[in-house]
Amino acid sequence: MRYKYIFSREPGVSDPVLLHAQNSVHAFFLDLKTDRTFLATSASMILERDLHNARQAQTPLAQQTARRNALKTYEASHLAIGDMPLVRLIAAIHNLPHFPAGCQLTLKPDYPGYELHARPGPWAVEKRIGKVYAGDTRFTLANVHNTLNAVYHRIDQPNRQYVQLPDGSFLRRFITRGLNQDDSERLRRGQGLLAAHPNANRNDKEISRYGYGPDGPGEAIVKDVLSHTRGWQKRYISTTTTKRAVHSTQGKEFRSVFGAVLIDLANVALASVVDLHRPDRLPSYFNITAPTVVAPRPPGNGAALTLDDERYLAARDVIRTREVLIRDSVPQNAVRSGPAKLCVLDVYSPNTPTLDSVVAHIKGSEGLSLEDEEKLAYPWMGYRHWFLAYPTEAIARLAWIMVRQFINTHALPRPMAFVGAELRYQYCLPVPPPPGA
């Protein structure tokens, strides 16, 4: 379970002991937030280091073992952040060396949140010194208009905005989508984003995992979420709440040559949103708890993965990626980005050796400072594609010219020696970010 708190101080506290206690509590909750950020950043840095070391291992088996250990360590570290309930926090405050001796704190429910009272001594009068807001009680309605959904902000930070999902939980208003080639093309046309398989029927792989029979209430969504996270049928658009790097099960960073954009959930139908980034969502969608995910798991026997295995792997994935899913589509007015650059060269061919030959020539050319690349693992629009991202539009256009020249002057591997090249857009997050992000 992930616990988050806000402490709001009661004004006008004058008793020296009570004021000392109030200041101690306030400092404790500020330190708690600072520690959470530090631990999350440290866990990400340690993962980067461990994955780098795994790539240096001498054998593929050693690399795989080290990579698995690195990911498992990160997942356990991430889930351990902020796992202390409020009652234990109050006990920890009492044990602070600078907390006034003999002073006793008491929590009293006062929706939303809890009143925090302090008694400076055994015979003294108990007085309120502040209020603690926990979890989803930390938010209040913001003065934002002209959006599809109501917007909320943190009680202590009006500049951090959220939306409220149908189940009553709160989620950041702005989340991040790393784009693929379809997204880039649709944005170029002034369209919104579309899932890879919107409204898809069950395929053979899904049926073999789930078996036959009608879905019960809510069961179809649970199955579709598992299918998406395991890559069987992607009926959702994947986004993330984190600004830190996220990694695949292969230890590779999810980074797109087409860039990233913000999605404004204030303009997305919230019934289509599935928030998986919270650890308390794991039982609902994967029938597994956070402690089970990080507990030692016996090795498989080499047989095909069971449904429980698939749920376990899906749960680990969403812990790392802090994933939020949006069903089917995202409207164009919910996409926020900075200026796009026409700096991605798309080289394509029906013949993989031909594609490889052309790209090898371009990558070996002087003066073309390649920034990033992605060789698509599956056909797109009937061809194999290799995307080359350059730092500027001018360099990308020069690379495009060189591809055309190479095609016209060299014999290419056959059969199917056709090669095409096209420039595509790379998008970026808006700078400065929109209010509330």
Side-chain angles (χ1 to χ4, degrees):
M1 182 61 181
R2 184 66 55 84
Y3 299 96
K4 296 183 179 180
Y5 307 99
I6 292 172
F7 176 66
S8 176
R9 288 192 281 194
E10 180 78 8
V13 174
S14 56
D15 182 281
V17 177
L18 293 180
L19 185 61
H20 184 183
Q22 184 188 62
N23 290 336
S24 296
V25 172
H26 180 68
F28 177 85
F29 278 98
L30 288 180
D31 289 345
L32 199 66
K33 179 173 172 33
T34 301
D35 289 347
R36 286 167 55 89
T37 302
F38 172 78
L39 290 172
T41 301
S42 297
S44 294
M45 294 175 64
I46 291 170
L47 175 61
E48 294 280 359
R49 181 203 66 191
D50 290 348
L51 289 175
H52 172 77
N53 292 340
R55 290 190 286 271
Q56 312 308 312
Q58 295 183 349
T59 67
L61 179 60
Q63 291 177 2
Q64 182 185 61
T65 301
R67 182 175 68 243
R68 287 177 175 173
N69 290 339
L71 294 174
K72 193 77 171 178
T73 298
Y74 170 77
E75 291 154 11
S77 299
H78 177 74
L79 289 174
I81 298 171
D83 64 347
M84 190 179 293
L86 185 55
V87 173
R88 285 173 55 197
L89 285 185
I90 299 302
I93 294 172
H94 279 126
N95 292 326
L96 292 174
H98 52 76
F99 190 75
C103 186
Q104 186 66 39
L105 298 175
T106 305
L107 281 172
K108 296 186 176 182
D110 180 42
Y111 184 85
Y114 300 85
E115 288 186 350
L116 185 63
H117 292 250
R119 186 191 302 274
W123 311 110
V125 176
E126 179 181 270
K127 291 188 177 180
R128 169 172 155 157
I129 63 170
K131 192 165 182 178
V132 179
Y133 299 90
D136 291 326
T137 68
R138 297 173 298 142
F139 307 97
T140 189
L141 196 63
N143 186 25
V144 176
H145 305 286
N146 300 318
T147 56
L148 177 65
N149 307 308
V151 174
Y152 298 78
H153 67 77
R154 284 245 306 265
I155 291 172
D156 62 332
Q157 283 188 289
N159 59 333
R160 290 284 296 275
Q161 294 181 353
Y162 296 76
V163 294
Q164 187 174 28
L165 299 182
D167 67 358
S169 64
F170 289 84
L171 177 62
R172 285 186 180 179
R173 174 181 176 180
F174 294 97
I175 53 180
T176 304
R177 163 71 176 174
L179 303 176
N180 60 30
Q181 66 279 358
D182 280 306
D183 298 331
S184 175
E185 181 62 17
R186 291 185 64 83
L187 291 178
R188 181 188 69 82
R189 297 174 184 170
Q191 300 172 329
L193 307 181
L194 191 66
H197 305 110
N199 303 311
N201 293 323
R202 294 267 185 264
N203 64 19
D204 291 341
K205 191 163 191 176
E206 291 173 315
I207 292 172
S208 68
R209 290 292 188 272
Y210 297 138
Y212 295 94
D215 296 331
E219 190 177 353
I221 293 178
V222 171
K223 290 180 178 179
D224 289 346
V225 166
L226 178 61
S227 178
H228 178 94
T229 53
R230 295 302 295 141
W232 304 336
Q233 290 256 53
K234 297 219 173 254
R235 299 175 177 87
Y236 293 86
I237 295 168
S238 293
T239 69
T240 182
T241 62
T242 183
K243 295 179 175 63
R244 300 183 181 90
V246 293
H247 297 81
S248 70
T249 53
Q250 300 304 311
K252 296 180 180 179
E253 182 181 344
F254 285 115
R255 185 174 58 193
S256 168
V257 297
F258 297 100
V261 296
L262 292 180
I263 305 297
D264 181 2
L265 292 179
N267 289 305
V268 173
L270 295 180
S272 69
V273 176
V274 176
D275 179 12
L276 300 177
H277 94 282
R278 292 170 46 152
D280 58 0
R281 294 293 193 271
L282 298 182
S284 298
Y285 290 100
F286 306 116
N287 196 32
I288 192 171
T289 62
T292 305
V293 171
V294 299
R297 187 176 177 90
N301 58 9
L305 293 175
T306 66
L307 183 56
D308 282 344
D309 292 331
E310 302 283 9
R311 288 168 172 161
Y312 168 77
L313 293 172
R316 291 188 59 190
D317 280 344
V318 300
I319 288 170
R320 286 195 310 278
T321 60
R322 295 177 61 76
E323 198 161 9
V324 175
L325 305 181
I326 303 173
R327 181 76 187 221
D328 294 337
S329 64
V330 172
Q332 192 274 336
N333 71 329
V335 178
R336 304 284 191 92
S337 76
K341 293 193 301 182
L342 197 62
C343 65
V344 178
L345 178 62
D346 174 9
V347 185
Y348 55 92
S349 172
N351 180 19
T352 299
T354 300
L355 179 64
D356 293 349
S357 176
V358 175
V359 171
H361 171 75
I362 298 303
K363 291 174 65 176
S365 302
E366 294 185 6
L368 298 179
S369 52
L370 186 65
E371 195 170 65
D372 202 357
E373 63 179 300
E374 179 185 351
K375 185 178 182 181
L376 208 60
Y378 53 88
W380 181 55
M381 297 195 297
Y383 296 98
R384 294 288 177 176
H385 294 256
W386 202 318
F387 303 114
L388 306 171
Y390 295 94
T392 68
E393 294 186 359
I395 297 176
R397 186 162 293 279
L398 178 60
W400 178 82
I401 293 172
M402 295 183 69
V403 169
R404 304 308 306 169
Q405 291 175 340
F406 181 81
I407 293 171
N408 293 333
T409 57
H410 289 74
L412 298 173
R414 294 184 181 277
M416 299 188 298
F418 167 78
V419 173
E422 186 174 342
L423 290 174
R424 300 192 180 278
Y425 281 100
Q426 180 186 84
Y427 293 81
C428 64
L429 301 179
V431 178

